[in-house]
Amino acid sequence: MKQLRKKVKETNPFRNRKMIAIFMYTICFVLFASIFMRFTWIMVRGEVNGEDLHLNVEKLYTRNNVLQARRGTIFDRNGNPIATDATTYKMVAILTDEWSSPSRPQHIEDPKAVAEILAAHLSLDEAEVYTRLTQDSKQVEFGNAGSNLTFETMSAIRDELAENELTGITFDESRSRLYPNGTFASHTIGLAQVTDESDDQLHGVMGLEKQYDDHLSGENGWIKYQRDRFGYVIPDQEIEEVDPVNGKDLNLTIDRRMQIFLESIVEEVNQAHQPEYITANLMNAKTGEILATSQRPTFNATTKAGIDQSWQNLLVEYTFEPGSTLKAMTLAASIQEGTFRPYEYYRSGQIQAGGGTIRDVRREGWGTITHLEGLARSSNVSFVHQVEEMGHDKWKSYLDAFGFGTQTGINLPNEANGSNPYEWPLQKINTAFGQGIAVTPVQMLRAFSALTNGGTMVEPHIVSEQTEVSEQEQIITPETAAQTLQYLKETVYSEHGTARGYQIDGFEIAAKTGTAQIADPETGRYLSGSNNNIFSVVGMAPADDPELILYVTVQQPELNTITHGSQAVQKIFNPVMKRALEYYSADSEMNSEKTYATDMPDLVEEPTQDAVDYLAENNYSYSLIGSGERVVQQYPRQEMHVDETQRVLLLTNGAMTLPDLTGWSRNDLYRLAELTGIALTVEGEGFVTEQNMSAGSFIETGTEIVVQLASNQE
């Protein structure tokens, strides 16, 4: 019985409950105390597992945004923008409903209505837009037509879609650099791009954009503020802000009018003769200001087309043997030393010197002639006589004084030194006529300036602010410089002159041509063949007191429609020098920017008929692309200078249509291609006489257009 009671007592449920309750209370107390201590610890220390909770809260509710500094604008000598900052937008259409909610759709719901609005603002027709919006894809982009959109175009599309309660179109914003002139001294101006997407900062990667990156970049600012969990800015808070310091502008010596004209002429020759390289540089002979500079290969800074062909700026990085254009310096040195006797006779054809045989371009020569005739005929033998009589050491001192083998300091990246080894006798002799020595175009410009400035060189420069010009020593006397120019007129106006084809109506010029051989890098021997040369000319005008120096080189052109490479050089030199002399002549109306060019008004968003009436009333040459009632794009753009040689292109809303191209220049055609995205094939030279599609035909990006050009004579 005792044992039974004990067993019952031990199994008493009330006692068990009490024990369990005490145990549970103890556990809860311990847990609560632990949690309390943990929260107390967190509140006191403000951190969990090494993470600062105050900092995390600040990150959650605080916004610290970078205020981007504006990159400085690059201007030409007349204040026209060459490179400027821009915010561009890329349009994307959301086609899937995966990212939408019933109350907040994000995708295209009415593709037909959306297509109608987009076609009114883009260079795409409505049917093509509708096809893109109805394809089986989650999202779709619109190629070139939907990229690099301006704020005005983006906002117009966005507002019209919102007004009609249409969804599905989004815009990605990006910073970019705008080069409104397209192919425009592209390697010299250079490029600025976002090189690191994390900071969205533009950095110069080529040309002046790279050289003056610190000057142009500025310094970003920032703004710091608090917002609530819904994303709204908390009112009455103290906002911390540091304003950005914008980059400084850069003013160049380039003249936009001459640059555009030079680019169009150089491109015509490039298309016609497909040379390895072309350089063409126009410089103010008195100040050293580069007024225009062009090269091939080049690229379009707006579209980046052609950028992979070459990153080399030929003005400062291209080293070559100049050939007979260097005889201008040999002549000046000979006159200074008294070894050039113009009416003394010598035997032309060939001469033994320096352990080798030096020959004229005409191996049998022209008989016994005067040195003045030898200059006109560009006789190598005549100039060997000059250097031999002057002495090799004396001639080397002149080469050094003219700056060959040293940089000019033009403030462009990667300027080459050139080279003048001057080691063995034959090589020393060859420098008399520009072989055995390597130069850059800018070095040649600097050397030529000694002839136009009374014997003292000026430093070529392209940035107006580049005022730190080193003092130059007098290389030759003013009398020698003037006499050299007089003799160089012989090459142009003598019956034997090699530069007779370079005469400019209404102006007298001094010039020297060159045909330089090219060394094969594999064999070290000079290449053979009538076109395997560098053909060049330097012209200084007006001859009696030059204001301009134009130096052109064309390497290995195809002799398809010409008999000699110099004819390709003439196609560049003659029209460019004539235009430049007309621009800068004191007696010409073109001397004034105001009398020659006007600022282009903003015609975008204007009714088409109003824009046409304005252009007609102000005697603009213009063409319409499309038959819409409103202008959506134009070229030239707002505030760009327009002269009488330029055609104004107006792109209207709706489908693009091809205008009548008859009489258009090659430059006009390239502008059309840039504006519309057509694939352009140009055949022949001169102006358009035929086109493969009739005027009024519908076109779109990628449409192949073939045009035939012919000269007025044809």
Side-chain angles (χ1 to χ4, degrees), residues 89-105:
Y89 302 86
K90 180 174 69 174
M91 188 172 69
V92 180
I94 309 300
L95 306 185
T96 180
D97 61 0
E98 294 179 12
W99 307 318
S100 299
S101 64
S103 61
R104 196 172 183 182

Side-chain angles (χ1 to χ4, degrees), residues 545-558:
D545 186 19
E547 295 289 336
L548 300 170
I549 300 173
L550 177 58
Y551 181 50
V552 179
T553 70
V554 179
Q555 179 175 326
Q556 296 167 286
E558 294 180 2

Side-chain angles (χ1 to χ4, degrees), residues 285-286 452-453 485-486 508 540-548:
K286 301 300 185 187
T452 61
N453 285 275
L485 291 172
Q486 288 300 310
E508 193 173 45
M540 294 161 278
D544 291 336
D545 186 19
E547 295 289 336
L548 300 170

Side-chain angles (χ1 to χ4, degrees), residues 389-411:
E389 187 172 348
M390 185 192 318
H392 294 179
D393 291 342
K394 178 59 69 173
W395 170 229
K396 176 61 163 63
S397 70
Y398 278 101
L399 288 173
D400 293 341
F402 280 118
F404 297 117
T406 61
Q407 295 182 5
T408 66
I410 193 174
N411 277 7

Side-chain angles (χ1 to χ4, degrees), residues 450-478:
L451 309 181
T452 61
N453 285 275
T456 302
M457 295 189 303
V458 296
E459 296 287 356
H461 59 281
I462 202 164
V463 177
S464 297
E465 290 87 346
Q466 186 180 343
T467 56
E468 295 182 7
V469 179
S470 59
E471 290 291 330
Q472 298 291 320
E473 294 183 5
Q474 192 87 19
I475 302 174
I476 54 178
T477 65

